[in-house]
Amino acid sequence: MLTPAVTRESSHPVRLDLAAPASGSRRPLFGLDAEVLAAHMEKIGQSAWRGQQLAHALYRQWVTEIDEISTLPRKVRRALAGEGWTVDRPQIVQVFRSVDGTERYLIKCQNGNREQVPNPPPDSSAETVETVWMPDGDGGEAGDSSDGLEMQPAARASSEGEATKMRNASSAPGLAAVLPVRQRKTWTRATICVSSQVGCAVNCQFCLTARLGLQRNLNAGEIAGQVVAVMARHGVQPGRDRLNLVFMGMGEPFLNYDAFMAAVRLLVHEVGLSPQRMTVSTSGIVPGIERFAQEPPELRPKLAISLNAPNDAIRSAIMPINGKWPIQAVMDAVRPMRLRPHERITFEYVLLGGVTDRPEHAREVARLVRRSGLPAKVNLIAWNPGPGLDYAMPSAESVDVFQEILAVAGVPVYLRQPRGRDIYAACGQLKRTIEE
Ligand code: SAH
Ligand code: SF4
């Protein structure tokens, strides 16, 4: 069953409530944009530009405590703290490191603006979310040259608090130190895989995250905060480093549309990342795609659609959502989107051994993509196994043949490298940890 359907209204910046909290509750600053922070500064008798300073401290310097905001006079910091404000940026609480350098994190969200589900699970699993760091990427973000623009220059990031806490992290697979890594930078580009919900309601039969059901939506600060927490750990500098974001972690971004897009705006305007280096993946939520197609190109990530099957019959069997929004409806929703120069729509395609990986499936996918008339490419993903999932990995030969058939048919095709399978960080494997 699906959760609240997305509405068709175009998205507006989320105005977070600045009213006084119920006694004892915290008021997180992280997640508020510069405009809202400026308004609050004026409300407490300060100049609006103090809000800019606050935003800079939160999103460019990555402070974790109000007291670290050295640009604000002490009396202003005290006034904020006195009103119950805290930074409350999501924090990495557990790190799993793969032999291939991938890291999977459990990130604790302390955000008081959190949206609660009616029946929260008895354990604390809804408190943490999973995020993945892939030095050098996995190919999921690759495939066209539309991300050619550089990221907006940003101030050199530094966090005194975090720097002094640094210690070496283990290079062995498995559990690694939580604190920021102090090692020579070995990556030239990196990709962060970001979650938009805890769990997922879209019941795809091959996906481990689906087994959790939807536990709760994340808010904008919790989504953007995953990125900032990982950037802080690795000392990523937006003006210098080539960082891609893929919204392909836990959850269905288009069933949490407003928070997802508010997070994108924070990441673009406040953190200084380029939307051309961001890709959002959807299982095919048509009202969400229709809204997304209307977003201004300067704020819109690239779009990936999880096609995963050559026709409606197979797709409905592995993705029940196809019963509601079949392939043609998804294609029609994508069509009005104005693409940037060289931009392509990505069709993701999970190869399930014996189910979706046959040569005749490849020929059907090629026809489907070409008939759609969309500038498109196909990203093949060999299925990653998970406990209780009754599918088989495709053979190396069937993957080769599939790729070859698409290529010969003139469809641009890429093969995603499985990253971090040993630590359950690969596609569709997130949230293994809470079952252990
Ligand atoms: N909910 C969104 C984004 C998260 S899933 C979506 O479905 O698009 C990101 C990608 O991982 C999707 O393309 C999905 O089809 C794929 N995926 C899910 N489980 C997988 C698995 N076990 N092995 C390989 N890919 C998987
Ligand atoms: Fe949800 Fe995506 Fe997994 Fe489907 S593949 S259950 S939409 S996370």
Side-chain angles (χ1 to χ4, degrees):
M1 259 261 302
L2 279 174
T3 42
V6 253
T7 63
R8 281 160 164 268
E9 299 153 25
S10 71
S11 73
H12 298 291
V14 172
R15 288 276 161 260
L16 292 157
D17 185 13
L18 293 174
S23 72
S25 68
R26 299 152 70 97
R27 304 168 89 186
L29 290 167
F30 197 95
L32 303 180
D33 65 21
E35 214 181 305
V36 173
L37 293 170
H40 187 63
M41 283 299 176
E42 284 187 313
K43 206 172 129 201
I44 62 171
Q46 297 293 316
S47 309
W49 55 265
R50 290 276 182 219
Q52 290 289 348
Q53 287 181 319
L54 192 45
H56 193 274
L58 292 171
Y59 302 113
R60 307 278 177 144
Q61 296 180 308
W62 308 328
V63 297
T64 54
E65 304 288 341
I66 287 182
D67 252 349
E68 290 172 27
I69 310 175
S70 51
T71 45
L72 288 185
R74 185 170 296 163
K75 74 171 181 10
V76 178
R77 285 182 262 158
R78 285 221 190 103
L80 286 172
E83 289 182 323
W85 292 100
T86 54
V87 171
D88 267 2
R89 188 191 87 199
Q91 299 285 334
I92 295 174
V93 292
Q94 210 168 356
V95 180
F96 301 86
R97 178 175 296 147
S98 163
V99 284
D100 67 17
T102 300
E103 290 187 342
R104 176 168 65 97
Y105 310 107
L106 290 190
I107 295 189
K108 186 167 166 50
C109 300
Q110 299 160 322
N111 210 323
N113 287 326
R114 158 181 317 162
E115 181 186 323
Q116 295 290 351
V117 285
N119 300 306
D123 60 18
S124 63
S125 55
E127 303 297 313
T128 57
V129 67
E130 306 214 358
T131 310
V132 179
W133 161 262
M134 293 173 284
D136 298 319
D138 67 347
E141 69 295 339
D144 64 40
S145 51
S146 66
D147 68 347
L149 294 182
E150 280 306 305
M151 284 182 255
Q152 296 168 13
R156 189 191 158 86
S158 71
S159 164
E160 282 295 306
E162 300 210 51
T164 50
K165 282 186 274 175
M166 278 188 185
R167 71 172 199 235
N168 281 339
S170 148
S171 60
L175 232 55
V178 170
L179 295 173
V181 281
R182 190 201 292 162
Q183 55 194 20
R184 270 192 45 230
K185 180 173 172 286
T186 52
W187 42 274
T188 53
R189 64 191 175 91
T191 299
I192 301 175
C193 180
V194 185
S195 294
S196 53
Q197 298 179 310
V198 180
C200 186
V202 190
N203 207 15
C204 302
Q205 301 294 294
F206 49 82
C207 173
L208 202 52
T209 307
R211 293 298 164 104
L212 285 176
L214 177 67
Q215 298 201 359
R216 68 180 183 89
N217 276 332
L218 297 175
N219 65 32
E222 292 172 324
I223 298 172
Q226 295 168 57
V227 177
V228 171
V230 176
M231 288 173 76
R233 173 173 171 80
H234 291 278
V236 177
Q237 290 178 30
R240 179 197 69 182
D241 298 322
R242 205 183 152 95
L243 178 71
N244 294 297
L245 302 186
V246 292
F247 296 92
M248 298 186 186
M250 295 170 67
E252 169 48 63
F254 285 0
L255 287 178
N256 188 18
Y257 191 90
D258 289 322
F260 157 69
M261 275 308 296
V264 168
R265 284 189 289 271
L266 278 176
L267 290 164
V268 173
H269 293 146
E270 314 297 351
V271 181
L273 301 178
S274 164
Q276 306 198 41
R277 290 212 177 123
M278 301 177 189
T279 304
V280 60
S281 175
T282 178
S283 55
I285 308 296
V286 163
I289 298 171
E290 288 172 345
R291 285 182 73 181
F292 191 71
Q294 303 304 319
E295 296 290 350
E298 66 279 6
L299 260 180
R300 178 179 57 67
K302 294 186 279 186
L303 180 65
I305 305 279
S306 295
L307 178 63
N308 293 343
N311 55 51
D312 281 323
I314 299 180
R315 195 165 190 266
S316 294
I318 60 173
M319 298 177 71
I321 189 80
N322 193 71
K324 185 158 188 173
W325 292 300
I327 295 173
Q328 199 51 52
V330 173
M331 298 286 191
D332 290 346
V334 174
R335 209 155 280 126
M337 204 165 125
R338 273 186 304 121
L339 299 177
R340 291 180 280 253
H342 309 295
E343 184 179 355
R344 290 174 188 276
I345 303 294
T346 300
F347 288 108
E348 290 166 280
Y349 193 96
V350 178
L351 290 158
L352 298 168
V355 179
T356 61
D357 68 340
R358 300 210 182 105
E360 63 268 29
H361 298 149
R363 285 189 281 274
E364 218 176 333
V365 170
R367 277 197 298 276
L368 192 67
V369 171
R370 294 184 61 175
R371 268 202 220 122
S372 78
L374 294 165
K377 65 190 172 89
V378 173
N379 266 1
L380 300 176
I381 316 168
W383 180 68
N384 295 306
L389 298 180
D390 199 15
Y391 289 98
M393 290 164 67
S395 68
E397 197 203 341
S398 69
V399 175
D400 282 352
V401 171
F402 205 101
Q403 190 172 8
E404 179 74 13
I405 290 173
L406 285 176
V408 168
V411 176
V413 57
Y414 298 82
L415 180 62
R416 293 261 291 276
Q417 298 307 315
R419 296 290 310 259
R421 265 187 188 162
D422 55 334
I423 53 160
Y424 280 86
C427 290
Q429 292 190 310
L430 296 187
K431 219 52 182 183
R432 157 93 177 131
T433 15
I434 67 153
E435 284 160 15
E436 288 171 338

